[in-house]
Amino acid sequence: MYLYQNEFVSKEQVRISPDDRGYYFGDGVYEVFRVYNGILFEAEGHYERLEKSARDVRIPLPYSTRHLDKLLNQLIRLNELAEGTVYMQITRGAAPRSHPFPAQAEPVLMAYTTEMARPFETMEKGITAVTMEDIRWLRCDLKTLNLLPNVMAKQHALDQGAHEVILHRSGTVTECSASNMMIVKNGELRTHPANHLILHGITRAFVLQLARQLNLPVREEAFTLDDLRTADEAFITGTTTEITPIIRIDKQTVGQGVPGPVTVKLQRAFEERLPKAAIKS
Ligand code: PMP
């Protein structure tokens, strides 16, 4: 089942207009939630980010986040989802194509669930990455549907036989096409500060919290491609990728070429804090 506005319907019953501004302009915001054992993971962070994205692009949310939470949980139950994701997007609505905000349009909400196993293999073995200039706009903190630069960047990585792309602005590492970037260097965990140049990843915040609980020194400060290339460890964080080690960057080995000890320690701590049992309603 899909959630379409306030109703649960089949995919075929979702009637999104060709005039939807999400289709013309990417004029909408979205979230991807992780579900472990039927439970939405770190839901509060996702709702807060959704509210901020919607507020800053001036799309009124059709429902309170409390009501949205109720709807998403119902969707999870209806679809009997145990392990997977919930995708939800809200566009500004349908109106004849014209740049200004339409006077009449009503926001359109759509959400669905996807079953997905956890990425055990890549989390254990690590992945490879290539670097690329970050050519996106200056509000990367907003989770909007305008993902063409991210799509182009991801494909660039795949075309080179790599899994992910590490973006940089004139040599300053920002994040990846669909994940945040962290390195370990001289015992310190380093990642770009949560400003307008990166998405404020829910997993990023969760991992930084874990690191502080583990008394690992954390530096939320921009680092360079040189720092990246001389890092002892590197990994990405994301809702679907969790904590995935990077073992090669631009064909150069990171550290020993295997997931490093700090990365593995964080992965273990992450694992321990996952929701264990489904709440039956
Ligand atoms: N940066 C970008 C550009 C992303 O698309 C994502 C994941 N959607 C992330 C970072 C990671 O964010 P989160 O941990 O909330 O999934």
Side-chain angles (χ1 to χ4, degrees), residues 5 9 18 26 73 91 108 118 120 124 129 132 134 202 204 216 222 254 258 264 278:
Q5 303 299 49
V9 297
N73 276 295
T91 68
V108 174
R118 295 183 53 207
F120 291 118
E124 200 183 314
M132 186 183 178
D134 187 345
I202 305 303
R204 174 191 178 281
L216 287 171
V254 179
V258 291
V264 172

Side-chain angles (χ1 to χ4, degrees), residues 30-32 46 49 136 140 143 147 150 167 175-181 198-205 237-241:
Y30 78 106
E31 277 297 327
V32 182
H46 286 279
R49 187 169 66 185
R136 299 173 300 163
C140 296
K143 206 161 171 61
L147 290 176
N150 304 61
L167 302 170
E175 59 176 337
C176 300
S177 75
S179 52
N180 288 112
M181 182 70 211
I198 65 161
L199 186 77
H200 302 188
I202 305 303
T203 324
R204 174 191 178 281
T237 65
T239 293
T240 52
T241 43

